[in-house]
Amino acid sequence: MQSKYALELHQLTAKPSRRLINQALKDEQALNSTFIGQDRAKDALAFGLDINARGYNLYVMGEQATGRFTLVREYIDKYVNSAATPDDWCYINNFEDEREPFALRLPAGESKTLYKEINILLDELLDTFPAAFDNPGYQRKKAAIAREFEQGYDKAIDAVESLAQRKGVSLFEEGGVITFSPVVEGKTLTDQDFAELNEEQRTHFYKLIDELEDSLSEALIELPKWKRASSEKLRALKNATAEQGIKPLLKKLEHKYAADLAILKFLRQLKPHLVETIVELLAEEKKDEKSDERADDLDKRSILEEQYLPNILVAHSLDSGAPLIYEPNPSHQNLFGRIEYTNVQGSVYTNYRMIRPGALHKANGGYLLLDVDKLIEQPYAWETLKLVLKSGMLKMDIPQHDTGMVNSITLNPQQIPINVKVVLLGSRDLYYTLQEYDDEFYELFRVLVDFDHEIPLDKQTLFDFVGRARSQVSALGLSDISAKAMYRLVEFSLRLAEHQNRLSARFSEVIELLHEAAYFCRKAAVTLLDVTHIEAALAAKTHRTGRVSEAVLDDIKQGQILIASDGVDVGKVNGLTVLEVGDCMFGTPARITSTVYAGATGVVDIEREVELGQPIHSKGVLLLTGYLGHKYAQLFPLTLSANIAIEQSYGHIDGDSASLAELIALISALTKIPARQDLAITGSINQYGQVQSVGGVNEKIEGFFKLCQHRELTGKQGVIIPKSNQINLMLDKEIIAAVKSGKFHIYVVETVEQALELLMNKDVGQLNSKGRYPKGSINYTAVLSLLNIANIVSGGED
């Protein structure tokens, strides 16, 4: 009876093709593999990258550690090599309004050339000026202007002096100050002599000097006008000299960039401002002291650089292809750029050369990869990104200005047109949340790249898996990997996927295993990675993370947790559970008990009553009533009181994988038929008694096996799992060996009745033509027990 439900050895684990693995190990083409399977994702990625329309950005959907980032980046890397290299971008000074710098677009590679050319221009300016102002021609013209002014001044003074002499007064000029002194008998009077004059003479001279001062004022009334005219002539001379000096320098640049209108426009705007700067900065007479001459030259060059050197925002080499940028910390500044400030004599200062690019600037004309979960956590970043993608223009704003948090004067750089394909990487939950709550999300991210968490095992995926594993081994500095080690890696991936025909998409865990195996490989002083190193790495990780699982098993061994592994008992069944602590997942048996008595409270889930049972577990228990009513109470009301509990469970319980075990414990308590304790069982049920698949089946089996192994295998022990879980078996070699020797058994069932038959060693019983079950069968006993309870509760006779 039991053998018809028992699995054969070949059904307990997958058998990947060793021939295909060996072929892939020898084929160099395998090393070029990028994707392992993921045809849907690959097609969507190719479509999203190829289509050139606004709004067709990509959302790469999949769970962490499935290799989304690596695969997408490698795929785009190969794709962008043939793409055109985008233009360079610079910011240049806006001489009319320095707070609004101009953006300058240049062909790829030209920005650094322009920067170099302007640097040479500044060197030539410093060489030309102020030397040009020491030219004899300039000095003669300058002296003539000064002489013209002085001649007019001297003429006016001479006229006043002649008038003074005629009136007996002498004129003196000393240190730019003009004074008058009386003359008596050909002698200029001193202050003492003047004091000795009588009152009438003094009054006469006072009056005379007042008249002369008035005459002097009238003669020099146009002195400021003469000074202005002289200064304007000198300024015009300086401007003409500066313009004459820079004209050939700029002419050379204009000739070189004759085909580039943007640079020509910049050079034409540069010319008048450059003349002014030279006149202000470099039109000074050379000083006699040369101690600070070098420092002075450096200061002058620094001033020129701050005004005229272009600020290269993004530069590309001519054949670099489209850029691929990943921004791990997508803050507003990291994405959209920032404007830096410096402190000058206690004041905050900035200019166009302190504009710094963001990831969008760098990715312009190419591709930008972002983690969407990090992006939406950053203030202003998500809304600004949507605005940029909608408008196609990138404006460098400080968002804090809009909220009144920053009041300092800043720049308003010219907007830059953006043509970038944004690739968001995120989870399924986040994708559906954004679709539901953000109306603009689908308009901007129309291409979904959906990564499966499992990959069908076929010739191509196995080939790609081996290729990527070989590439990783090579990257670790090892010479090669053996066929047995590669076979074990494939088994490991199948176990991760919990499927005999599907590889796990979490290739990062395969890489992690390779890293740990490489450690043992180097420890053994060899460069060939073998299966022994893989096994050593797996054993070491189990040991590192196995403290909790060992503690639980020790408690069972010591009798602290009550689990029987032989004999029979009424109302008690060994269920199988999975615990996940950190990155450690392990199975352990749990005793499920049930009691039944006369009453009408129904089936009570003790876990639910004390709020330890989560919704899915409670749903599984509620289904038991549906099964009992459908199966046994078609001719009378279903009336009973029963309690079900998972014993010695002190934490929250979720999942319906214990519902089959709970039902069997309930039927055992109802019928008083004992259930076998040397078998453990897992599976969920529906109301019609069909057994449904559950998760973690390998860990559950291994958990009960370890306990039986510790207490010695009797040859009768085993586990019962849903038949639909047979495909998920990837059991440990130790269990396969025990099954092979007949010491342990794996049974599969499709219905509750098959499970009852196995656990109670008794005929379940089928309905006959009269609608009754055979006497003595499990179903007959269950109907009879329920009918007795119904009669007791309703007050009827047995």
Side-chain angles (χ1 to χ4, degrees), residues 302-321:
S302 177
I303 292 170
L304 292 173
E305 286 178 352
E306 287 299 306
Q307 294 193 66
Y308 303 117
L309 268 185
N311 175 16
I312 299 177
L313 206 64
V314 183
H316 303 284
S317 56
L318 196 58
D319 56 351
S320 62

Side-chain angles (χ1 to χ4, degrees), residues 68-135:
R68 295 171 309 171
F69 173 74
T70 305
L71 294 174
V72 169
R73 187 167 190 170
E74 287 182 6
Y75 187 84
I76 297 177
D77 244 338
K78 293 178 181 178
Y79 184 87
V80 300
N81 285 338
S82 57
T85 305
D87 293 333
D88 291 355
W89 284 96
C90 305
Y91 271 113
I92 54 174
N93 201 357
N94 180 354
F95 301 112
E96 295 178 0
D97 186 355
E98 292 190 352
R99 289 182 59 187
E100 297 190 359
F102 289 130
L104 182 62
R105 186 177 197 158
L106 299 169
E110 286 295 316
S111 60
K112 291 183 179 178
T113 305
L114 178 65
Y115 185 91
K116 186 178 177 182
E117 293 287 351
I118 300 296
N119 241 328
I120 293 171
L121 173 65
L122 299 185
D123 287 336
E124 291 174 339
L125 286 174
L126 289 170
D127 291 339
T128 306
F129 303 98
F133 296 107
D134 294 330
N135 184 284

Side-chain angles (χ1 to χ4, degrees), residues 366-498:
Y367 307 89
L368 177 62
L369 272 63
L370 299 171
D371 293 310
V372 66
D373 54 336
K374 296 177 183 175
L375 175 65
I376 60 175
E377 290 175 355
Q378 298 289 342
Y380 311 106
W382 175 243
E383 293 300 325
T384 308
L385 178 64
K386 290 193 296 180
L387 183 63
V388 169
L389 293 178
K390 280 193 294 183
S391 66
M393 301 295 291
L394 175 53
K395 185 178 182 182
M396 201 174 291
D397 281 330
I398 299 176
Q400 290 86 344
H401 274 291
D402 297 333
T403 56
M405 295 168 64
V406 177
N407 291 317
S408 60
I409 294 174
T410 187
L411 302 178
N412 184 25
Q414 186 180 5
Q415 294 184 109
I416 289 177
I418 285 291
N419 177 26
V420 64
K421 190 79 75 170
V422 177
V423 181
L424 298 181
L425 296 101
S427 66
R428 285 177 168 77
D429 290 343
L430 194 50
Y431 176 78
Y432 296 123
T433 302
L434 286 170
Q435 266 205 329
E436 185 172 356
Y437 293 103
D438 193 328
D439 295 336
E440 297 171 321
F441 175 70
Y442 182 72
E443 294 177 16
L444 298 172
F445 294 90
R446 297 178 185 273
V447 182
L448 173 63
V449 182
D450 192 356
F451 273 76
D452 293 324
H453 61 279
E454 292 177 352
I455 302 162
L457 179 63
D458 55 33
K459 183 178 179 180
Q460 185 59 49
T461 55
L462 188 59
F463 181 84
D464 292 337
F465 180 93
V466 173
R468 286 196 64 80
R470 285 175 62 194
S471 298
Q472 191 63 35
V473 168
S474 178
L476 290 170
L478 300 176
S479 62
D480 209 346
I481 179 170
S482 70
K484 287 184 178 180
M486 186 61 75
Y487 187 87
R488 185 67 185 90
L489 275 181
V490 175
E491 284 187 325
F492 175 75
S493 184
L494 292 168
R495 171 63 184 260
L496 282 178
E498 288 191 284

